[in-house]
Amino acid sequence: MDQANPFETPKTYQIHRAEYLVGFAVATGLLIAHYDEIRWLPAIGLFLYIDLIGYIPGAIAFKRSGGRPIAKTYYVLYNVMHSLITQAVVAALWCWLVKPEWALLVLPFHLFGDRGLFGNFMKSFALPFEPVRQPGYLRLLDDLGLPHPKAAGHAVTDPVPVGHRPASAAPTAAAPAAPAAARHEALR
């Protein structure tokens, strides 16, 4: 919503995704236009390696965890592999060490598709690895008078957010919140 509150309402989330759909459409158009110039074996490898390293291990760990928190390493792997910065470095190295080629279009195709088509953005340590409705977010939507988005539909229900502090740790009316500096120091 703003720099101090970087969460999105369902509508701003749709707009955010739509921006990536434009990039996905451009990458798709270029892939089609240069279809016969693409070396498809490297293209398939470049497309798949992002998820082989960055998504599949975390998805397996999440499924095996039964809703319990998983290692933050999986989040870091996902975020690094699904970063436009990382893939720009990979593309630059590929151009330098191999050669510039149309197969590299699968890198933005993959990332823009993940974000635009599926709504997959960077993963926060404070949330489950796979998208699961969080009561705090639903309360925020209620406070804003906005409808709840549809559920993601995962078999695991109500996993524990990784960095979540239980409501009992939150300040109450009887115990006002400590100043920000004191709260920050207490979390160290």
Side-chain angles (χ1 to χ4, degrees), residues 119-158:
N120 296 329
F121 290 88
M122 297 296 181
K123 296 194 180 289
S124 168
F125 291 152
L127 297 171
F129 189 82
E130 292 288 359
V132 177
R133 296 175 135 205
Q134 295 299 309
Y137 180 66
L138 299 178
R139 283 192 302 275
L140 168 70
L141 294 178
D142 290 341
D143 289 348
L144 295 173
L146 298 170
H148 294 187
K150 68 180 180 104
H154 291 285
V156 178
T157 57
D158 300 329

mmCIF file of all heavy atoms in Angstrom, residues 119-158:
data_model
loop_
_atom_site.group_PDB
_atom_site.id
_atom_site.type_symbol
_atom_site.label_atom_id
_atom_site.label_comp_id
_atom_site.label_asym_id
_atom_site.label_seq_id
_atom_site.Cartn_x
_atom_site.Cartn_y
_atom_site.Cartn_z
ATOM 1 N N GLY A 119 0.726 -15.495 -9.686
ATOM 2 C CA GLY A 119 0.758 -14.624 -8.512
ATOM 3 C C GLY A 119 1.838 -14.982 -7.515
ATOM 4 O O GLY A 119 1.738 -14.640 -6.342
ATOM 5 N N ASN A 120 2.887 -15.653 -7.971
ATOM 6 C CA ASN A 120 3.978 -16.054 -7.077
ATOM 7 C C ASN A 120 5.056 -14.978 -7.045
ATOM 8 O O ASN A 120 5.745 -14.760 -8.033
ATOM 9 C CB ASN A 120 4.598 -17.374 -7.540
ATOM 10 C CG ASN A 120 3.627 -18.514 -7.475
ATOM 11 O OD1 ASN A 120 2.739 -18.533 -6.633
ATOM 12 N ND2 ASN A 120 3.770 -19.463 -8.363
ATOM 13 N N PHE A 121 5.194 -14.325 -5.905
ATOM 14 C CA PHE A 121 6.219 -13.306 -5.714
ATOM 15 C C PHE A 121 7.222 -13.845 -4.692
ATOM 16 O O PHE A 121 7.190 -15.023 -4.354
ATOM 17 C CB PHE A 121 5.579 -11.997 -5.259
ATOM 18 C CG PHE A 121 4.764 -11.344 -6.344
ATOM 19 C CD1 PHE A 121 3.424 -11.666 -6.528
ATOM 20 C CD2 PHE A 121 5.342 -10.423 -7.204
ATOM 21 C CE1 PHE A 121 2.684 -11.077 -7.538
ATOM 22 C CE2 PHE A 121 4.603 -9.835 -8.226
ATOM 23 C CZ PHE A 121 3.277 -10.164 -8.390
ATOM 24 N N MET A 122 8.086 -13.010 -4.193
ATOM 25 C CA MET A 122 9.076 -13.450 -3.206
ATOM 26 C C MET A 122 8.373 -14.008 -1.964
ATOM 27 O O MET A 122 7.274 -13.594 -1.619
ATOM 28 C CB MET A 122 9.992 -12.285 -2.815
ATOM 29 C CG MET A 122 10.811 -11.748 -3.954
ATOM 30 S SD MET A 122 11.945 -13.006 -4.548
ATOM 31 C CE MET A 122 12.787 -12.105 -5.824
ATOM 32 N N LYS A 123 9.048 -14.938 -1.321
ATOM 33 C CA LYS A 123 8.469 -15.597 -0.149
ATOM 34 C C LYS A 123 9.003 -14.958 1.130
ATOM 35 O O LYS A 123 10.202 -14.764 1.277
ATOM 36 C CB LYS A 123 8.779 -17.088 -0.180
ATOM 37 C CG LYS A 123 8.118 -17.769 -1.369
ATOM 38 C CD LYS A 123 8.121 -19.258 -1.225
ATOM 39 C CE LYS A 123 7.463 -19.940 -2.405
ATOM 40 N NZ LYS A 123 6.030 -19.774 -2.450
ATOM 41 N N SER A 124 8.100 -14.672 2.043
ATOM 42 C CA SER A 124 8.439 -14.075 3.336
ATOM 43 C C SER A 124 8.683 -15.176 4.364
ATOM 44 O O SER A 124 7.918 -16.144 4.436
ATOM 45 C CB SER A 124 7.286 -13.192 3.807
ATOM 46 O OG SER A 124 7.461 -12.836 5.152
ATOM 47 N N PHE A 125 9.723 -15.005 5.194
ATOM 48 C CA PHE A 125 9.982 -15.955 6.273
ATOM 49 C C PHE A 125 8.796 -16.074 7.225
ATOM 50 O O PHE A 125 8.637 -17.081 7.901
ATOM 51 C CB PHE A 125 11.190 -15.526 7.108
ATOM 52 C CG PHE A 125 12.516 -15.629 6.403
ATOM 53 C CD1 PHE A 125 13.546 -14.786 6.774
ATOM 54 C CD2 PHE A 125 12.758 -16.555 5.408
ATOM 55 C CE1 PHE A 125 14.787 -14.869 6.161
ATOM 56 C CE2 PHE A 125 13.987 -16.644 4.784
ATOM 57 C CZ PHE A 125 15.009 -15.795 5.159
ATOM 58 N N ALA A 126 7.980 -15.039 7.312
ATOM 59 C CA ALA A 126 6.882 -14.999 8.283
ATOM 60 C C ALA A 126 5.659 -15.790 7.848
ATOM 61 O O ALA A 126 4.711 -15.910 8.608
ATOM 62 C CB ALA A 126 6.485 -13.556 8.558
ATOM 63 N N LEU A 127 5.676 -16.323 6.626
ATOM 64 C CA LEU A 127 4.515 -17.046 6.116
ATOM 65 C C LEU A 127 4.902 -18.459 5.707
ATOM 66 O O LEU A 127 6.069 -18.737 5.445
ATOM 67 C CB LEU A 127 3.938 -16.309 4.902
ATOM 68 C CG LEU A 127 3.402 -14.907 5.177
ATOM 69 C CD1 LEU A 127 3.056 -14.205 3.871
ATOM 70 C CD2 LEU A 127 2.196 -14.975 6.089
ATOM 71 N N PRO A 128 3.922 -19.362 5.626
ATOM 72 C CA PRO A 128 4.219 -20.705 5.145
ATOM 73 C C PRO A 128 4.784 -20.652 3.719
ATOM 74 O O PRO A 128 4.509 -19.719 2.962
ATOM 75 C CB PRO A 128 2.857 -21.403 5.159
ATOM 76 C CG PRO A 128 2.046 -20.629 6.138
ATOM 77 C CD PRO A 128 2.521 -19.214 6.030
ATOM 78 N N PHE A 129 5.574 -21.652 3.354
ATOM 79 C CA PHE A 129 6.220 -21.690 2.032
ATOM 80 C C PHE A 129 5.193 -21.669 0.915
ATOM 81 O O PHE A 129 5.384 -21.007 -0.096
ATOM 82 C CB PHE A 129 7.113 -22.931 1.928
ATOM 83 C CG PHE A 129 7.973 -22.942 0.692
ATOM 84 C CD1 PHE A 129 9.166 -22.233 0.653
ATOM 85 C CD2 PHE A 129 7.599 -23.669 -0.422
ATOM 86 C CE1 PHE A 129 9.962 -22.235 -0.485
ATOM 87 C CE2 PHE A 129 8.391 -23.680 -1.569
ATOM 88 C CZ PHE A 129 9.579 -22.959 -1.596
ATOM 89 N N GLU A 130 4.128 -22.407 1.061
ATOM 90 C CA GLU A 130 3.039 -22.398 0.084
ATOM 91 C C GLU A 130 1.949 -21.445 0.579
ATOM 92 O O GLU A 130 1.764 -21.277 1.782
ATOM 93 C CB GLU A 130 2.455 -23.801 -0.099
ATOM 94 C CG GLU A 130 3.410 -24.780 -0.758
ATOM 95 C CD GLU A 130 3.631 -24.529 -2.238
ATOM 96 O OE1 GLU A 130 3.037 -23.587 -2.801
ATOM 97 O OE2 GLU A 130 4.420 -25.259 -2.838
ATOM 98 N N PRO A 131 1.236 -20.803 -0.344
ATOM 99 C CA PRO A 131 0.236 -19.818 0.095
ATOM 100 C C PRO A 131 -0.925 -20.457 0.846
ATOM 101 O O PRO A 131 -1.565 -21.375 0.352
ATOM 102 C CB PRO A 131 -0.238 -19.187 -1.222
ATOM 103 C CG PRO A 131 0.154 -20.130 -2.297
ATOM 104 C CD PRO A 131 1.321 -20.918 -1.792
ATOM 105 N N VAL A 132 -1.133 -19.975 2.051
ATOM 106 C CA VAL A 132 -2.226 -20.430 2.909
ATOM 107 C C VAL A 132 -2.817 -19.177 3.544
ATOM 108 O O VAL A 132 -2.082 -18.295 3.980
ATOM 109 C CB VAL A 132 -1.713 -21.398 3.996
ATOM 110 C CG1 VAL A 132 -2.833 -21.811 4.930
ATOM 111 C CG2 VAL A 132 -1.054 -22.617 3.370
ATOM 112 N N ARG A 133 -4.134 -19.085 3.581
ATOM 113 C CA ARG A 133 -4.788 -17.922 4.181
ATOM 114 C C ARG A 133 -4.302 -17.723 5.611
ATOM 115 O O ARG A 133 -4.233 -18.662 6.390
ATOM 116 C CB ARG A 133 -6.297 -18.126 4.198
ATOM 117 C CG ARG A 133 -6.882 -18.211 2.833
ATOM 118 C CD ARG A 133 -8.353 -18.542 2.916
ATOM 119 N NE ARG A 133 -9.003 -17.644 1.994
ATOM 120 C CZ ARG A 133 -10.248 -17.266 2.079
ATOM 121 N NH1 ARG A 133 -11.007 -17.707 3.035
ATOM 122 N NH2 ARG A 133 -10.755 -16.466 1.187
ATOM 123 N N GLN A 134 -3.979 -16.479 5.920
ATOM 124 C CA GLN A 134 -3.521 -16.137 7.259
ATOM 125 C C GLN A 134 -4.573 -15.281 7.946
ATOM 126 O O GLN A 134 -5.063 -14.303 7.359
ATOM 127 C CB GLN A 134 -2.192 -15.391 7.191
ATOM 128 C CG GLN A 134 -1.053 -16.231 6.648
ATOM 129 C CD GLN A 134 -0.774 -17.439 7.514
ATOM 130 O OE1 GLN A 134 -0.604 -17.341 8.727
ATOM 131 N NE2 GLN A 134 -0.739 -18.610 6.901
ATOM 132 N N PRO A 135 -4.941 -15.630 9.176
ATOM 133 C CA PRO A 135 -5.975 -14.873 9.883
ATOM 134 C C PRO A 135 -5.670 -13.381 9.980
ATOM 135 O O PRO A 135 -6.571 -12.554 9.860
ATOM 136 C CB PRO A 135 -6.021 -15.518 11.270
ATOM 137 C CG PRO A 135 -5.448 -16.883 11.075
ATOM 138 C CD PRO A 135 -4.447 -16.770 9.961
ATOM 139 N N GLY A 136 -4.405 -13.021 10.172
ATOM 140 C CA GLY A 136 -4.048 -11.601 10.284
ATOM 141 C C GLY A 136 -4.359 -10.828 9.014
ATOM 142 O O GLY A 136 -4.856 -9.699 9.063
ATOM 143 N N TYR A 137 -4.090 -11.431 7.864
ATOM 144 C CA TYR A 137 -4.378 -10.763 6.598
ATOM 145 C C TYR A 137 -5.890 -10.649 6.394
ATOM 146 O O TYR A 137 -6.386 -9.618 5.954
ATOM 147 C CB TYR A 137 -3.737 -11.512 5.435
ATOM 148 C CG TYR A 137 -4.015 -10.854 4.099
ATOM 149 C CD1 TYR A 137 -3.508 -9.602 3.798
ATOM 150 C CD2 TYR A 137 -4.822 -11.478 3.152
ATOM 151 C CE1 TYR A 137 -3.774 -8.984 2.583
ATOM 152 C CE2 TYR A 137 -5.090 -10.869 1.936
ATOM 153 C CZ TYR A 137 -4.565 -9.620 1.656
ATOM 154 O OH TYR A 137 -4.846 -9.017 0.464
ATOM 155 N N LEU A 138 -6.615 -11.694 6.760
ATOM 156 C CA LEU A 138 -8.074 -11.654 6.627
ATOM 157 C C LEU A 138 -8.674 -10.591 7.541
ATOM 158 O O LEU A 138 -9.615 -9.895 7.164
ATOM 159 C CB LEU A 138 -8.663 -13.034 6.902
ATOM 160 C CG LEU A 138 -8.198 -14.145 5.939
ATOM 161 C CD1 LEU A 138 -8.798 -15.482 6.338
ATOM 162 C CD2 LEU A 138 -8.522 -13.798 4.501
ATOM 163 N N ARG A 139 -8.082 -10.417 8.742
ATOM 164 C CA ARG A 139 -8.551 -9.349 9.647
ATOM 165 C C ARG A 139 -8.262 -7.979 9.040
ATOM 166 O O ARG A 139 -9.086 -7.064 9.155
ATOM 167 C CB ARG A 139 -7.895 -9.482 11.024
ATOM 168 C CG ARG A 139 -8.497 -10.581 11.897
ATOM 169 C CD ARG A 139 -8.033 -10.484 13.348
ATOM 170 N NE ARG A 139 -6.589 -10.546 13.498
ATOM 171 C CZ ARG A 139 -5.872 -11.679 13.579
ATOM 172 N NH1 ARG A 139 -6.487 -12.845 13.538
ATOM 173 N NH2 ARG A 139 -4.577 -11.631 13.725
ATOM 174 N N LEU A 140 -7.097 -7.835 8.391
ATOM 175 C CA LEU A 140 -6.780 -6.567 7.733
ATOM 176 C C LEU A 140 -7.824 -6.251 6.664
ATOM 177 O O LEU A 140 -8.329 -5.135 6.589
ATOM 178 C CB LEU A 140 -5.387 -6.627 7.096
ATOM 179 C CG LEU A 140 -5.057 -5.470 6.147
ATOM 180 C CD1 LEU A 140 -4.894 -4.174 6.919
ATOM 181 C CD2 LEU A 140 -3.829 -5.786 5.332
ATOM 182 N N LEU A 141 -8.166 -7.247 5.848
ATOM 183 C CA LEU A 141 -9.183 -7.026 4.818
ATOM 184 C C LEU A 141 -10.517 -6.660 5.442
ATOM 185 O O LEU A 141 -11.220 -5.776 4.932
ATOM 186 C CB LEU A 141 -9.319 -8.259 3.929
ATOM 187 C CG LEU A 141 -8.104 -8.604 3.073
ATOM 188 C CD1 LEU A 141 -8.359 -9.877 2.282
ATOM 189 C CD2 LEU A 141 -7.721 -7.460 2.156
ATOM 190 N N ASP A 142 -10.853 -7.328 6.541
ATOM 191 C CA ASP A 142 -12.094 -6.977 7.249
ATOM 192 C C ASP A 142 -12.054 -5.527 7.715
ATOM 193 O O ASP A 142 -13.028 -4.788 7.551
ATOM 194 C CB ASP A 142 -12.312 -7.901 8.459
ATOM 195 C CG ASP A 142 -12.666 -9.326 8.062
ATOM 196 O OD1 ASP A 142 -13.094 -9.536 6.899
ATOM 197 O OD2 ASP A 142 -12.499 -10.224 8.902
ATOM 198 N N ASP A 143 -10.916 -5.117 8.302
ATOM 199 C CA ASP A 143 -10.784 -3.739 8.785
ATOM 200 C C ASP A 143 -10.897 -2.729 7.651
ATOM 201 O O ASP A 143 -11.382 -1.623 7.847
ATOM 202 C CB ASP A 143 -9.444 -3.538 9.500
ATOM 203 C CG ASP A 143 -9.384 -4.247 10.849
ATOM 204 O OD1 ASP A 143 -10.447 -4.705 11.333
ATOM 205 O OD2 ASP A 143 -8.275 -4.354 11.399
ATOM 206 N N LEU A 144 -10.438 -3.099 6.462
ATOM 207 C CA LEU A 144 -10.512 -2.211 5.302
ATOM 208 C C LEU A 144 -11.849 -2.323 4.577
ATOM 209 O O LEU A 144 -12.095 -1.612 3.611
ATOM 210 C CB LEU A 144 -9.371 -2.520 4.324
ATOM 211 C CG LEU A 144 -7.959 -2.246 4.834
ATOM 212 C CD1 LEU A 144 -6.923 -2.750 3.843
ATOM 213 C CD2 LEU A 144 -7.768 -0.760 5.117
ATOM 214 N N GLY A 145 -12.699 -3.258 5.027
ATOM 215 C CA GLY A 145 -13.998 -3.454 4.400
ATOM 216 C C GLY A 145 -13.899 -4.098 3.022
ATOM 217 O O GLY A 145 -14.730 -3.848 2.158
ATOM 218 N N LEU A 146 -12.882 -4.940 2.841
ATOM 219 C CA LEU A 146 -12.658 -5.584 1.544
ATOM 220 C C LEU A 146 -13.010 -7.063 1.605
ATOM 221 O O LEU A 146 -12.848 -7.709 2.646
ATOM 222 C CB LEU A 146 -11.193 -5.423 1.122
ATOM 223 C CG LEU A 146 -10.721 -3.977 0.924
ATOM 224 C CD1 LEU A 146 -9.218 -3.930 0.743
ATOM 225 C CD2 LEU A 146 -11.437 -3.351 -0.259
ATOM 226 N N PRO A 147 -13.488 -7.634 0.487
ATOM 227 C CA PRO A 147 -13.804 -9.070 0.475
ATOM 228 C C PRO A 147 -12.542 -9.912 0.553
ATOM 229 O O PRO A 147 -11.469 -9.486 0.132
ATOM 230 C CB PRO A 147 -14.509 -9.266 -0.873
ATOM 231 C CG PRO A 147 -14.017 -8.144 -1.729
ATOM 232 C CD PRO A 147 -13.744 -6.998 -0.806
ATOM 233 N N HIS A 148 -12.691 -11.094 1.086
ATOM 234 C CA HIS A 148 -11.568 -12.033 1.169
ATOM 235 C C HIS A 148 -11.327 -12.670 -0.199
ATOM 236 O O HIS A 148 -12.279 -13.007 -0.893
ATOM 237 C CB HIS A 148 -11.872 -13.144 2.176
ATOM 238 C CG HIS A 148 -11.980 -12.652 3.578
ATOM 239 N ND1 HIS A 148 -12.113 -13.512 4.630
ATOM 240 C CD2 HIS A 148 -11.973 -11.406 4.127
ATOM 241 C CE1 HIS A 148 -12.193 -12.828 5.759
ATOM 242 N NE2 HIS A 148 -12.117 -11.548 5.472
ATOM 243 N N PRO A 149 -10.033 -12.859 -0.568
ATOM 244 C CA PRO A 149 -9.747 -13.574 -1.819
ATOM 245 C C PRO A 149 -10.056 -15.053 -1.649
ATOM 246 O O PRO A 149 -10.171 -15.547 -0.523
ATOM 247 C CB PRO A 149 -8.251 -13.343 -2.023
ATOM 248 C CG PRO A 149 -7.716 -13.074 -0.656
ATOM 249 C CD PRO A 149 -8.831 -12.419 0.113
ATOM 250 N N LYS A 150 -10.182 -15.743 -2.766
ATOM 251 C CA LYS A 150 -10.463 -17.181 -2.669
ATOM 252 C C LYS A 150 -9.267 -17.897 -2.066
ATOM 253 O O LYS A 150 -8.129 -17.450 -2.180
ATOM 254 C CB LYS A 150 -10.808 -17.758 -4.037
ATOM 255 C CG LYS A 150 -9.678 -17.784 -5.021
ATOM 256 C CD LYS A 150 -10.143 -18.380 -6.351
ATOM 257 C CE LYS A 150 -8.995 -18.401 -7.314
ATOM 258 N NZ LYS A 150 -8.406 -19.668 -7.522
ATOM 259 N N ALA A 151 -9.530 -19.005 -1.399
ATOM 260 C CA ALA A 151 -8.467 -19.791 -0.769
ATOM 261 C C ALA A 151 -7.595 -20.423 -1.829
ATOM 262 O O ALA A 151 -8.037 -20.705 -2.942
ATOM 263 C CB ALA A 151 -9.088 -20.866 0.127
ATOM 264 N N ALA A 152 -6.321 -20.676 -1.480
ATOM 265 C CA ALA A 152 -5.362 -21.264 -2.419
ATOM 266 C C ALA A 152 -5.664 -22.729 -2.676
ATOM 267 O O ALA A 152 -5.300 -23.264 -3.706
ATOM 268 C CB ALA A 152 -3.940 -21.093 -1.891
ATOM 269 N N GLY A 153 -6.305 -23.408 -1.738
ATOM 270 C CA GLY A 153 -6.720 -24.783 -1.963
ATOM 271 C C GLY A 153 -5.676 -25.833 -1.641
ATOM 272 O O GLY A 153 -5.699 -26.915 -2.196
ATOM 273 N N HIS A 154 -4.734 -25.554 -0.742
ATOM 274 C CA HIS A 154 -3.757 -26.569 -0.356
ATOM 275 C C HIS A 154 -4.383 -27.516 0.660
ATOM 276 O O HIS A 154 -5.247 -27.136 1.428
ATOM 277 C CB HIS A 154 -2.511 -25.915 0.247
ATOM 278 C CG HIS A 154 -1.729 -25.161 -0.772
ATOM 279 N ND1 HIS A 154 -0.954 -25.771 -1.707
ATOM 280 C CD2 HIS A 154 -1.646 -23.838 -1.022
ATOM 281 C CE1 HIS A 154 -0.413 -24.865 -2.482
ATOM 282 N NE2 HIS A 154 -0.815 -23.680 -2.090
ATOM 283 N N ALA A 155 -3.898 -28.737 0.652
ATOM 284 C CA ALA A 155 -4.441 -29.746 1.558
ATOM 285 C C ALA A 155 -4.105 -29.429 3.009
ATOM 286 O O ALA A 155 -4.857 -29.736 3.910
ATOM 287 C CB ALA A 155 -3.903 -31.128 1.190
ATOM 288 N N VAL A 156 -2.958 -28.811 3.236
ATOM 289 C CA VAL A 156 -2.555 -28.479 4.603
ATOM 290 C C VAL A 156 -3.341 -27.251 5.033
ATOM 291 O O VAL A 156 -3.408 -26.272 4.312
ATOM 292 C CB VAL A 156 -1.038 -28.179 4.657
ATOM 293 C CG1 VAL A 156 -0.630 -27.780 6.058
ATOM 294 C CG2 VAL A 156 -0.258 -29.377 4.188
ATOM 295 N N THR A 157 -3.930 -27.332 6.220
ATOM 296 C CA THR A 157 -4.703 -26.184 6.689
ATOM 297 C C THR A 157 -4.011 -25.541 7.880
ATOM 298 O O THR A 157 -3.457 -26.223 8.728
ATOM 299 C CB THR A 157 -6.125 -26.602 7.095
ATOM 300 O OG1 THR A 157 -6.033 -27.614 8.095
ATOM 301 C CG2 THR A 157 -6.909 -27.122 5.913
ATOM 302 N N ASP A 158 -4.079 -24.253 7.912
ATOM 303 C CA ASP A 158 -3.571 -23.457 9.023
ATOM 304 C C ASP A 158 -2.156 -23.813 9.479
ATOM 305 O O ASP A 158 -1.917 -24.061 10.650
ATOM 306 C CB ASP A 158 -4.522 -23.544 10.224
ATOM 307 C CG ASP A 158 -5.901 -23.027 9.883
ATOM 308 O OD1 ASP A 158 -5.992 -22.124 9.033
ATOM 309 O OD2 ASP A 158 -6.870 -23.526 10.465
#
